[in-house]
Amino acid sequence: MSENLEYLRHSSAHLLAAAVIELYPGTKRTIGPAIETGFYFDFEFPQGVTVSEADFEQIEAKMQELAKTWKSFDRSELSVAEAKAEYADNPYKLELIEEFSSDDQILSSYRSGNYSDLCRGGHVEHPDQELQHIKLLSVAGAYWRGKEGNPMLSRIYGTAFATAQELEAFLVQQEEAKKRDHRKLGKELDLFVFSETVGKGLPLWTPKGATIRRELERFIVDEELKRGYLHVYTPDIANLGLYRKSGHYPYYKESMYPPIEIDEEEYMLRPMTCPHHFELYASRPHSYKELPMRFAELAKLYRYEQSGELSGLLRVRSFCLADAHIICLPDQAESEINQVLDLIEYIAGVFGLKSGENYHYRLSLGDRADEIKYFKDDASWDLAESVLRKVLVDRVSHFVEAPAEAAFYGPKIDIQMKNVNGKEDTAFTVQYDFVMPQRFELKYIAEDGTTQQPIVVHRSSIGAIERVMAFLIEHYAGTFPLWLSPVQVRLLPIADRHLEYAQKVMAQLQAAGVRVELDSRSERLSAKIRDAQLEKIPYMLVMGDKEAAAESVAVRSRAGDEGVMPVTKLVLRLQAEITNKS
Amino acid sequence: MSENLEYLRHSSAHLLAAAVIELYPGTKRTIGPAIETGFYFDFEFPQGVTVSEADFEQIEAKMQELAKTWKSFDRSELSVAEAKAEYADNPYKLELIEEFSSDDQILSSYRSGNYSDLCRGGHVEHPDQELQHIKLLSVAGAYWRGKEGNPMLSRIYGTAFATAQELEAFLVQQEEAKKRDHRKLGKELDLFVFSETVGKGLPLWTPKGATIRRELERFIVDEELKRGYLHVYTPDIANLGLYRKSGHYPYYKESMYPPIEIDEEEYMLRPMTCPHHFELYASRPHSYKELPMRFAELAKLYRYEQSGELSGLLRVRSFCLADAHIICLPDQAESEINQVLDLIEYIAGVFGLKSGENYHYRLSLGDRADEIKYFKDDASWDLAESVLRKVLVDRVSHFVEAPAEAAFYGPKIDIQMKNVNGKEDTAFTVQYDFVMPQRFELKYIAEDGTTQQPIVVHRSSIGAIERVMAFLIEHYAGTFPLWLSPVQVRLLPIADRHLEYAQKVMAQLQAAGVRVELDSRSERLSAKIRDAQLEKIPYMLVMGDKEAAAESVAVRSRAGDEGVMPVTKLVLRLQAEITNKS
């Protein structure tokens, strides 16, 4: 966000507060920052007053009215004692003054029109001209300072832009994102559900959602096998000692669930796969000729999320990571990381995602000065970082460098993915690890007969299946490509007398491995077509007397009416489309 | 076991004790019953005395020597006081006398030769003639009366038969079973390992073992999908409330692991899938037209096993069940159960297993009088049992009826499988359930618009993947059919100059979906062949100058030398063999 936009939005927050206080006297103000999507302001409304989206029109009108009178933001200074006196009836402001000021400090306040507020500054110069393109978006409960147990305030979200065009574009995008919201589409298309009885953050995948997941999982596993990965299965729980050995325990303790006591031993739901794969590698000796060994697994992992943070498939308490650990000679690392990025770009490409456009790389580096957060071994950090940087440079990849964002055991490449809101997030990572091989005493016999230590590349190829699913639902807006569609074809016999022929076609398609449904209801064809469209089914095959006589079907794809086609020809076309994942 | 054989073996246990006491004076005897594979006797040897298999020859010689003097087993009676006096120096016998006798009881003792022992009876009539075909098998530690914390005794196992032929056949079978032991073969063929650090009873599947598992899992899932099952994914942990709702908690508590506390809620590692599938079904309303709905899942389950009971893949603490719950109208139950048995028999048939030969059915019934163990609803029990019985009778299946072996929610058909030792065990079950639909308020809208309750068929198609794997390793003695073999083909170039051609063939086979390895070592061909045979690889392809020139390979299958064949022809043959699972 540019500084100008930040000033604009923070100024808009002042304006919102001014309007709210005029409309709802007795309201207590707290704070109102600019955020990525606009701004918000947290209020404590007087007892009995509730503000909902229905009130936004009135508040916006008041904001417009006030804005006309705001010629500037005028700074004044006051002592802490003066500030406390001015905000004597506002415990929130008092708490902030108390906490952030020393007694002899001078605070700043900004006034525009009749409204003034304690504030560090950062406003527009001509509010009456610039605060024009503002829209209130939503209202939600928010604990004071984000802490459970604190009073619950009302947070009003809004957004502001410099021009009407920008505001309009933002609102259209928001509307589109809402339509594509995976929680909404997941429900409408019956892909996954939650059960309060089963528990929070634990999705249940319906038959349709599970079909997509199975196709995704098999695609990833098969592609990895082709590229020399060794898929394995390791346990989802392990003795706490394993995570002490890996050194994860002190670092990850807050993300792990409490131990399960079994026969006086403590077992943990695993938060990561690495130590499991290392134990597998260490179960027998290895020669340099066997390396690289690429252990891969669709690994169920468990990480703690606060219940308030849980959201659809994006933030869950258990997820399945397409994980792998490549154990290799140090001089194989560069080639291996290159191959990992090839795989990532290939899989992303299948979904139409391009590096530099839909995602980019971030090189997350260590900090030689920080010996607590990062394992101390300057030479290894230097080498590892230079290997990762060389790979990215040689590939002419779009990447940025991020200091002090590495894992504790080595630097990494983060795959930064944009979602439908345009928000960027780390989807998954490729990590260079020189620490774990020491802790797990991973070894290989080198060509000269000596015993040596390999390095490890931790990587995912696509990330967590739950997250991918959320992403793909929004990416495709539920209109999945044929290979992922839970129902690929729906048969629409025109009348009951065509049911027999429809069943014959159904058997032909099923034998060809196509997922097909028969709409045998005695409904009008137009109703059957409408329902199939609502369910976003890729192919509808209409069949009446003519089609039955000619062993053909009238094809309606998403592209529209495609005319009548022999069943045998259609089967070949569907198979090709499924295989090509187009 | 026949009564005769039981008498013979119990008599042999007397003889073993007699020999041991002569050879190791001061040894304290305890008990010596007949068991399925022979008999055993538990001893406390004097301090400093250890008996191992190396001593068996001497003990067997002593047994033969004593047997000649044993003309009969002579019964005598003694009071409890007399018995206590006689065994005053044997605390084990005293404990038994104390526990099992009232003071005024008369005990029996049996003498043969110089040896006598307290005993209820059940011996051969002419020990000198009948105790001829005895063999000691092994020695192991065993807690007195099987309780941890009790003194550790030495248990000597032996077996006995009426004829030399029977003994010989048994020993050959034992030898074969030992060779086939899945723990031994699993190690030799590198299929799975255990790690003390990861934890007990939690196997790690190596790349080779995981390949077999993946093939098995996909086979089952695909076959079930073909038959109209709806595969889903549900969480491996759930709120304790879910198992209280299902009523499993009080019954299964001892088999479940302790709860994990998350935000003051208690979560459990799931011990079964049923309530998860019921929550999924109940997440939206259903019409009778949707039924039957067959929810299936490869479900990871967690059940407590004592550490002493853990054994390879057969007894583990976490396993993956090919599970399903068919929710159907009551009058669909018969047809659904028939289709389940069709599926079970089909899958078993793929492994060459026949109903009535390798496995049979057991109809496990409830007990109307037992209102604690079984849900009280006589009419439903009668109906459910009659449906299951009708299915088995109509199919002319081999089955036995077992009273009071049902689940608490209904009767079931157990699939009783024989392992390589000839031991029979319940591999998995098909259950008729009229209780859970009530507890979970499962409903459907009937044709007449009323709301009705469906019934549920719980079933597996193949059982737990771990158990199947253990079974199949022993069944095939590691010589897996082509479709399951981790490495299907190994390429054996005769000299280094044939490596290039070998790589070309490798690419051809990989493109055809064949799992292939190249033995590129500079070893002699005979050594390469021997290694491939040890690893039980189905196909070896030898290639020299002639083969390279002709784009062909010399094929060695398990059947032997199959001559030279064009690569294209071989590919078709391999693909057909894989598809046919032959």
Side-chain angles (χ1 to χ4, degrees):
Chain A
M1 186 165 38
S2 70
E3 199 175 65
N4 283 344
L5 194 58
E6 196 180 335
Y7 287 2
L8 176 68
R9 288 173 172 182
H10 174 57
S11 303
S12 303
H14 276 250
L15 186 59
L16 168 61
V20 163
I21 281 174
E22 288 221 1
L23 290 170
Y24 309 99
T27 297
K28 291 191 174 65
R29 303 169 279 165
T30 68
I31 51 166
I35 57 172
E36 209 177 327
T37 54
F39 62 87
Y40 68 79
F41 212 112
D42 287 349
F43 301 101
E44 186 196 285
F45 288 107
Q47 202 135 30
V49 173
T50 326
V51 171
S52 75
E53 297 190 13
D55 304 307
F56 283 0
E57 207 175 323
Q58 193 192 5
I59 301 173
E60 284 169 349
K62 176 60 79 180
M63 288 168 75
Q64 281 174 22
E65 178 195 324
L66 293 179
K68 287 176 197 150
T69 69
W70 287 22
K71 301 300 174 193
S72 60
F73 279 89
D74 300 321
R75 178 186 164 95
S76 60
E77 296 189 338
L78 67 175
S79 69
V80 168
E82 288 167 330
K84 284 185 181 171
E86 189 170 336
Y87 294 93
D89 63 343
N90 187 325
Y92 307 106
K93 293 283 189 189
L94 288 177
E95 185 180 323
L96 295 175
I97 296 166
E98 192 69 49
E99 196 163 324
F100 294 108
S101 320
S102 52
D103 278 349
D104 56 353
Q105 208 174 322
I106 295 300
L107 304 176
S108 60
S109 176
Y110 284 82
R111 167 175 300 273
S112 30
N114 296 322
Y115 182 80
S116 72
D117 203 348
L118 284 177
C119 173
R120 288 215 180 86
H123 301 102
V124 294
E125 278 187 46
H126 307 290
D128 55 346
Q129 292 160 42
E130 296 177 62
L131 299 185
Q132 304 265 1
H133 312 295
I134 303 178
K135 181 87 192 153
L136 298 183
L137 299 172
S138 61
V139 57
Y143 291 112
W144 166 237
R145 305 182 76 178
K147 277 196 204 108
E148 273 189 60
N150 275 354
M152 176 67 85
L153 305 173
S154 296
R155 173 172 297 176
I156 298 180
Y157 287 96
T159 196
F161 285 89
T163 67
Q165 288 80 354
E166 285 169 292
L167 176 60
E168 181 58 24
F170 173 83
L171 293 174
V172 166
Q173 193 213 35
Q174 285 282 102
E175 203 48 48
E176 181 62 17
K178 235 187 233 172
K179 269 191 254 163
R180 288 169 177 252
D181 187 309
H182 81 278
R183 291 164 301 184
K184 182 172 162 284
L185 282 175
K187 199 165 191 163
E188 285 171 14
L189 299 174
D190 192 22
L191 301 178
F192 58 90
V193 298
F194 288 89
S195 149
E196 271 299 310
T197 317
V198 170
K200 298 190 185 77
L202 298 170
L204 292 86
W205 298 63
T206 64
K208 284 185 179 164
T211 300
I212 301 177
R213 176 168 173 173
R214 187 173 56 250
E215 290 294 338
L216 273 176
E217 290 186 346
R218 289 191 180 185
F219 165 53
I220 295 158
V221 170
D222 287 344
E223 191 58 39
E224 292 181 346
L225 289 172
K226 266 190 218 160
R227 293 172 189 244
Y229 283 88
L230 304 166
H231 264 270
V232 299
Y233 297 80
T234 61
D236 298 342
I237 61 171
N239 199 300
L240 176 54
L242 183 67
Y243 308 107
R244 289 197 199 279
K245 186 172 172 183
S246 69
H248 279 109
Y249 190 59
Y251 287 87
Y252 267 82
K253 196 177 168 195
E254 296 307 310
S255 299
M256 290 169 80
Y257 295 105
I260 306 154
E261 202 167 296
I262 306 177
D263 290 354
E264 286 155 33
E265 292 183 307
E266 291 187 312
Y267 282 78
M268 312 299 287
L269 291 168
R270 70 167 159 188
M272 73 278 302
T273 332
C274 356
H276 299 242
H277 288 180
F278 300 154
E279 286 292 309
L280 195 53
Y281 178 84
S283 70
R284 63 175 178 84
H286 297 280
S287 149
Y288 71 98
K289 290 182 195 163
E290 292 177 77
L291 303 188
M293 286 188 84
R294 308 180 187 100
F295 288 109
E297 183 169 2
L298 289 176
K300 282 190 189 161
L301 304 180
Y302 295 82
R303 293 187 191 162
Y304 176 68
E305 298 276 357
Q306 293 195 331
S307 61
E309 298 290 319
L310 298 169
S311 169
L313 294 179
L314 263 185
R315 294 290 281 272
V316 289
R317 283 183 165 164
S318 165
F319 57 94
C320 177
L321 186 66
D323 208 357
H325 297 90
I326 301 169
I327 300 171
C328 64
L329 314 182
D331 65 10
Q332 292 172 331
E334 187 185 325
S335 154
E336 286 301 314
I337 292 164
N338 252 311
Q339 289 177 58
V340 167
L341 298 188
D342 286 347
L343 172 61
I344 288 169
E345 290 172 16
Y346 171 75
I347 291 181
V350 166
F351 302 116
L353 305 174
K354 288 196 183 66
S355 169
E357 199 167 307
N358 308 87
Y359 63 96
H360 70 264
Y361 299 122
R362 184 175 76 174
L363 175 57
S364 289
L365 306 166
D367 177 355
R368 305 292 178 277
D370 189 340
E371 299 187 11
I372 293 166
K373 196 169 160 200
Y374 301 110
F375 185 83
K376 187 66 184 166
D377 180 349
D378 289 1
S380 293
W381 277 99
D382 289 345
L383 173 69
E385 291 180 356
S386 74
V387 168
L388 294 183
R389 190 179 288 110
K390 182 168 187 306
V391 168
L392 291 171
V393 170
D394 287 354
R395 298 172 72 86
V396 200
S397 291
H398 302 77
F399 77 101
V400 294
E401 301 209 1
E405 286 281 353
F408 77 91
Y409 45 70
K412 61 193 172 87
I413 296 171
D414 299 317
I415 286 73
Q416 302 294 107
M417 193 73 84
K418 273 190 194 159
N419 71 10
V420 282
N421 288 312
K423 194 168 169 288
E424 183 187 299
D425 222 342
T426 299
F428 53 94
T429 63
V430 181
Q431 310 179 346
Y432 186 115
D433 174 8
F434 45 83
V435 178
M436 291 294 164
Q438 292 177 37
R439 291 196 196 255
F440 280 85
E441 297 179 16
L442 305 184
K443 305 283 183 210
Y444 66 90
I445 307 299
E447 196 162 6
D448 64 4
T450 59
T451 299
Q452 302 290 338
Q453 199 145 73
I455 65 111
V456 171
V457 176
H458 305 236
R459 56 105 269 193
S460 181
S461 51
I462 190 173
I465 300 296
E466 285 76 6
R467 215 184 166 103
V468 175
M469 184 73 173
F471 178 87
L472 290 181
I473 292 172
E474 301 187 351
H475 175 65
Y476 290 120
T479 309
F480 291 101
L482 189 64
W483 72 283
L484 286 178
S485 292
V487 179
Q488 296 172 316
V489 171
R490 183 167 287 168
L491 305 182
L492 309 183
I494 293 175
D496 286 352
R497 69 177 180 283
H498 307 119
L499 266 175
E500 199 181 326
Y501 175 60
Q503 260 142 3
K504 199 180 138 197
V505 173
M506 180 143 139
Q508 272 176 283
L509 291 172
Q510 280 173 334
V514 177
R515 294 186 291 270
V516 54
E517 271 183 10
L518 170 59
D519 188 343
S520 61
R521 295 174 301 163
S522 304
E523 291 278 348
R524 288 177 50 201
L525 183 60
S526 58
K528 291 185 180 183
I529 290 174
R530 197 193 52 232
D531 288 349
Q533 280 169 336
L534 279 175
E535 293 177 47
K536 300 175 193 282
I537 293 170
Y539 284 93
M540 290 171 252
L541 307 184
V542 179
M543 42 198 82
D545 292 334
K546 257 195 325 194
E547 287 80 12
E551 305 246 308
S552 64
V553 286
V555 179
R556 280 181 77 104
S557 74
R558 286 164 176 165
D561 198 337
E562 303 213 23
V564 174
M565 205 179 282
V567 177
T568 46
K569 189 176 159 197
L570 176 75
V571 163
L572 292 177
R573 170 176 160 171
L574 294 175
Q575 285 180 322
E577 193 176 333
I578 290 167
T579 306
N580 297 336
K581 301 190 164 50
S582 52
Chain B
M1 184 166 41
S2 70
E3 197 174 67
N4 282 345
L5 193 57
E6 194 179 338
Y7 287 2
L8 175 67
R9 288 172 171 182
H10 175 56
S11 303
S12 303
H14 274 252
L15 186 59
L16 168 61
V20 163
I21 281 172
E22 286 222 2
L23 290 171
Y24 309 99
T27 297
K28 291 192 171 65
R29 304 169 279 164
T30 68
I31 52 165
I35 57 173
E36 209 177 327
T37 55
F39 62 89
Y40 69 79
F41 212 111
D42 286 348
F43 300 102
E44 184 195 288
F45 287 108
Q47 202 133 31
V49 173
T50 326
V51 171
S52 76
E53 296 189 14
D55 303 307
F56 283 181
E57 205 175 323
Q58 194 193 5
I59 301 173
E60 284 170 350
K62 175 62 77 180
M63 287 168 76
Q64 280 175 21
E65 178 195 321
L66 292 178
K68 288 178 195 147
T69 69
W70 286 21
K71 302 298 175 193
S72 59
F73 279 89
D74 301 321
R75 179 187 163 94
S76 60
E77 295 187 341
L78 66 177
S79 70
V80 168
E82 287 169 329
K84 284 184 181 171
E86 189 169 336
Y87 293 94
D89 63 345
N90 187 326
Y92 307 106
K93 292 283 190 190
L94 288 177
E95 185 179 322
L96 294 175
I97 295 166
E98 192 68 46
E99 196 163 326
F100 292 108
S101 319
S102 52
D103 279 350
D104 56 351
Q105 207 174 324
I106 294 301
L107 304 176
S108 60
S109 175
Y110 283 82
R111 166 175 299 274
S112 32
N114 294 322
Y115 181 80
S116 74
D117 202 348
L118 283 177
C119 175
R120 288 218 178 85
H123 302 101
V124 295
E125 277 189 45
H126 307 291
D128 56 346
Q129 292 159 38
E130 295 177 62
L131 300 184
Q132 303 266 0
H133 312 293
I134 305 178
K135 182 86 189 151
L136 299 184
L137 299 173
S138 61
V139 57
Y143 290 112
W144 165 235
R145 305 183 76 181
K147 280 198 202 106
E148 272 189 61
N150 274 355
M152 176 65 85
L153 306 174
S154 296
R155 173 172 297 177
I156 297 180
Y157 287 96
T159 196
F161 285 90
T163 67
Q165 288 80 352
E166 284 170 292
L167 176 60
E168 182 58 22
F170 173 84
L171 294 175
V172 166
Q173 192 215 34
Q174 285 282 102
E175 202 50 46
E176 182 62 19
K178 236 187 232 173
K179 268 191 256 163
R180 289 170 177 252
D181 188 307
H182 81 278
R183 292 164 301 185
K184 183 170 161 286
L185 282 175
K187 199 167 192 162
E188 285 171 13
L189 299 174
D190 193 22
L191 301 178
F192 59 90
V193 298
F194 286 90
S195 149
E196 271 298 312
T197 317
V198 171
K200 299 190 185 79
L202 298 170
L204 292 86
W205 299 63
T206 64
K208 284 185 179 165
T211 300
I212 301 177
R213 175 167 173 174
R214 188 173 55 251
E215 290 293 339
L216 273 175
E217 290 186 348
R218 289 191 180 184
F219 165 53
I220 295 158
V221 170
D222 287 343
E223 191 58 39
E224 291 181 347
L225 289 173
K226 267 189 219 160
R227 293 172 188 244
Y229 284 89
L230 305 166
H231 264 269
V232 299
Y233 297 82
T234 60
D236 297 344
I237 61 171
N239 199 299
L240 175 53
L242 183 67
Y243 308 108
R244 289 198 199 278
K245 185 173 174 182
S246 70
H248 279 108
Y249 190 58
Y251 286 87
Y252 267 81
K253 196 177 168 194
E254 296 306 309
S255 298
M256 290 168 82
Y257 294 105
I260 306 153
E261 202 167 296
I262 306 179
D263 290 353
E264 288 155 32
E265 294 184 306
E266 292 187 312
Y267 282 78
M268 312 298 288
L269 291 167
R270 69 167 161 190
M272 72 279 300
T273 332
C274 356
H276 299 242
H277 288 181
F278 300 155
E279 286 292 309
L280 196 53
Y281 178 84
S283 70
R284 61 174 179 85
H286 296 280
S287 147
Y288 73 97
K289 288 183 195 164
E290 292 178 79
L291 303 188
M293 285 188 85
R294 309 179 185 102
F295 287 109
E297 184 170 4
L298 289 176
K300 281 190 190 162
L301 304 180
Y302 294 82
R303 294 186 191 163
Y304 177 67
E305 298 276 355
Q306 293 195 329
S307 61
E309 298 290 320
L310 298 169
S311 170
L313 294 179
L314 263 185
R315 295 288 281 272
V316 288
R317 283 182 166 166
S318 164
F319 58 93
C320 177
L321 186 67
D323 208 358
H325 298 89
I326 302 169
I327 300 171
C328 63
L329 313 181
D331 66 9
Q332 292 171 331
E334 186 183 327
S335 155
E336 286 301 313
I337 292 163
N338 252 313
Q339 289 177 58
V340 167
L341 297 188
D342 286 346
L343 172 61
I344 289 169
E345 289 172 17
Y346 171 75
I347 291 181
V350 166
F351 302 116
L353 305 174
K354 288 196 181 68
S355 169
E357 198 167 307
N358 307 88
Y359 63 96
H360 69 265
Y361 298 121
R362 184 176 76 174
L363 175 57
S364 288
L365 306 166
D367 177 355
R368 306 290 179 277
D370 189 339
E371 300 187 11
I372 293 165
K373 198 169 158 198
Y374 300 110
F375 185 83
K376 187 67 184 169
D377 180 351
D378 288 3
S380 293
W381 277 98
D382 289 346
L383 173 68
E385 290 180 357
S386 74
V387 168
L388 294 183
R389 189 179 288 108
K390 180 167 188 306
V391 169
L392 290 171
V393 169
D394 287 354
R395 297 173 72 86
V396 200
S397 290
H398 303 78
F399 78 100
V400 294
E401 302 208 2
E405 287 282 351
F408 78 89
Y409 45 70
K412 61 193 171 88
I413 296 172
D414 299 317
I415 286 74
Q416 302 292 109
M417 192 74 82
K418 273 188 194 161
N419 70 10
V420 283
N421 288 311
K423 194 168 170 290
E424 182 187 299
D425 223 341
T426 299
F428 53 93
T429 63
V430 180
Q431 308 179 351
Y432 186 115
D433 174 8
F434 44 84
V435 177
M436 291 294 163
Q438 291 178 37
R439 290 194 196 255
F440 280 84
E441 296 179 14
L442 304 184
K443 304 283 183 212
Y444 66 91
I445 308 299
E447 197 163 4
D448 62 5
T450 60
T451 299
Q452 301 290 338
Q453 198 144 73
I455 66 112
V456 172
V457 177
H458 305 236
R459 57 105 269 198
S460 182
S461 51
I462 191 174
I465 300 295
E466 286 75 7
R467 216 184 166 105
V468 175
M469 183 73 174
F471 178 86
L472 291 180
I473 293 172
E474 301 187 349
H475 175 65
Y476 290 119
T479 309
F480 292 100
L482 189 63
W483 72 284
L484 286 179
S485 291
V487 179
Q488 296 172 317
V489 171
R490 184 167 286 170
L491 306 182
L492 311 182
I494 293 174
D496 285 351
R497 69 176 180 282
H498 307 120
L499 265 174
E500 200 182 325
Y501 175 60
Q503 259 141 4
K504 198 180 139 196
V505 173
M506 180 142 138
Q508 274 177 282
L509 291 171
Q510 280 173 334
V514 177
R515 293 186 291 269
V516 55
E517 270 183 8
L518 169 59
D519 188 343
S520 60
R521 297 174 300 164
S522 303
E523 291 277 350
R524 289 176 48 200
L525 183 61
S526 57
K528 292 184 179 183
I529 290 174
R530 196 192 53 230
D531 288 349
Q533 281 169 336
L534 279 175
E535 293 177 46
K536 303 178 191 278
I537 293 170
Y539 284 92
M540 289 171 255
L541 307 184
V542 179
M543 42 199 82
D545 294 332
K546 257 194 327 195
E547 287 80 12
E551 305 245 307
S552 63
V553 287
V555 179
R556 281 182 76 106
S557 75
R558 286 164 175 164
D561 198 339
E562 303 213 22
V564 175
M565 203 178 283
V567 178
T568 46
K569 189 176 160 194
L570 176 75
V571 164
L572 293 176
R573 170 173 160 173
L574 294 176
Q575 285 181 322
E577 192 176 333
I578 290 167
T579 305
N580 298 337
K581 300 190 165 51
S582 53

